Amino acid sequence: MPESGQRDTRAEILAVARDLFGRYGFQRTSLREIAGLLGVSKAAVLYHFPTKAEILAALAQPLLRDLDAALTSARAAGPDPVTVRWAAIEGMLDALLAHRASLRMSVHDLSLMSQDTVFPRFAAAIETANDLVAGPDPDLAAKVRAAQAIAMLSDPVMILAEVPAEALREEVLRGVRRLFSEPDPASSPPRRTGRPSRLGAEQLDLARRMHEQGGHTGDEIAAAIGVSRATLYRHLSQ
């Protein structure tokens, strides 16, 4: 960290590059343009980043770091698969929202995800998120639903970049909850055995929010959080 009064040229390069890459794309932005906006020489930029690709890779690191941290935290959320699922979904969404500028760069071109140091980690994070959301021993339906849920997180963050983060977060999560609470229209969901008789704090919070929002039957809420309807009503009445 630079001492007071000293320039942090590396951080300034990243800030200017993030803005230019986001507006014009990676390919259309030159190192000379970045240097010119900073009032330094191109050589000064190359001192910190020998290639333009290294700037791009550095810009992606905070997003990758926070995705990894969110998924690590989700794994440790406890033995309940539903709690793990929502910890993964909400943690991943929060990481994406925190790094919207990095995601916007991929709207202009695919250069960000083409980096050898970026794509493998991003792909690994997506695969881990899908596994956590699908739960243990998932069938095909659970795997598909998990993939749909994870896919529902990034596109709104990229496309609706001007929407306030908190409002966007609420709407994205509402859509994901609907995905998990909608029953199969072809048949009623089979009654499961061995479901937990108590709700965790996160399950109870989700159940109450779905109940207060309206538009969900008791069976749908119970199916979404993995308990019986009797268990659900017992907790909601407390």
Side-chain angles (χ1 to χ4, degrees), residues 10-227:
R10 187 179 191 279
E12 291 179 5
I13 291 170
L14 291 175
V16 170
R18 180 183 295 109
D19 178 59
L20 293 178
F21 292 168
R23 282 194 287 168
Y24 307 116
F26 174 77
Q27 301 295 342
R28 296 183 180 180
T29 300
S30 69
L31 291 175
R32 192 174 302 280
E33 288 176 295
I34 295 172
L37 285 175
L38 288 172
V40 300
S41 66
K42 180 179 176 181
V45 175
L46 290 172
Y47 172 80
H48 293 280
F49 299 98
T51 67
K52 190 170 64 167
E54 290 187 39
I55 299 178
L56 193 63
L59 288 172
Q61 294 312 304
L63 169 61
L64 297 173
R65 179 198 63 220
D66 287 356
L67 285 175
D68 288 344
L71 296 173
T72 297
S73 178
R75 283 195 203 93
D80 178 27
V82 175
T83 300
V84 171
R85 171 199 298 164
W86 287 102
I89 289 171
E90 294 193 27
M92 188 168 185
L93 177 58
D94 288 340
L96 295 174
L97 286 168
H99 300 285
R100 297 167 89 172
S102 295
L103 288 175
R104 288 189 69 183
M105 287 189 288
S106 66
V107 174
H108 289 280
D109 56 52
L110 297 177
S111 299
L112 178 63
M113 290 305 163
S114 69
Q115 298 301 306
D116 291 341
T117 58
V118 174
F119 181 76
R121 285 183 62 188
F122 188 79
I126 296 297
E127 183 176 357
T128 298
N130 274 275
D131 290 343
L132 294 175
V133 172
D137 301 317
D139 58 13
L140 177 59
K143 292 178 180 179
V144 169
R145 191 170 294 113
Q148 290 173 322
I150 295 304
M152 290 171 70
L153 303 181
S154 59
D155 282 4
V157 174
M158 290 189 294
I159 296 171
L160 304 175
E162 306 307 320
V163 176
E166 189 58 36
L168 184 57
R169 183 183 193 275
E170 182 179 343
E171 286 302 320
V172 170
L173 290 177
R174 181 176 291 119
V176 178
R177 291 189 195 105
R178 287 176 180 169
L179 173 68
F180 282 102
S181 65
E182 288 179 357
D184 182 355
S187 62
S188 299
R191 183 176 180 83
R192 298 180 182 178
T193 60
R195 289 177 291 187
S197 59
R198 296 186 61 82
L199 299 184
E202 189 167 340
Q203 286 176 289
L204 182 57
D205 179 64
L206 174 60
R208 284 175 173 164
R209 280 182 283 159
M210 293 178 69
H211 181 69
E212 291 169 359
Q213 289 169 3
H216 300 284
T217 67
D219 285 333
E220 290 173 350
I221 298 174
I225 61 177
V227 299

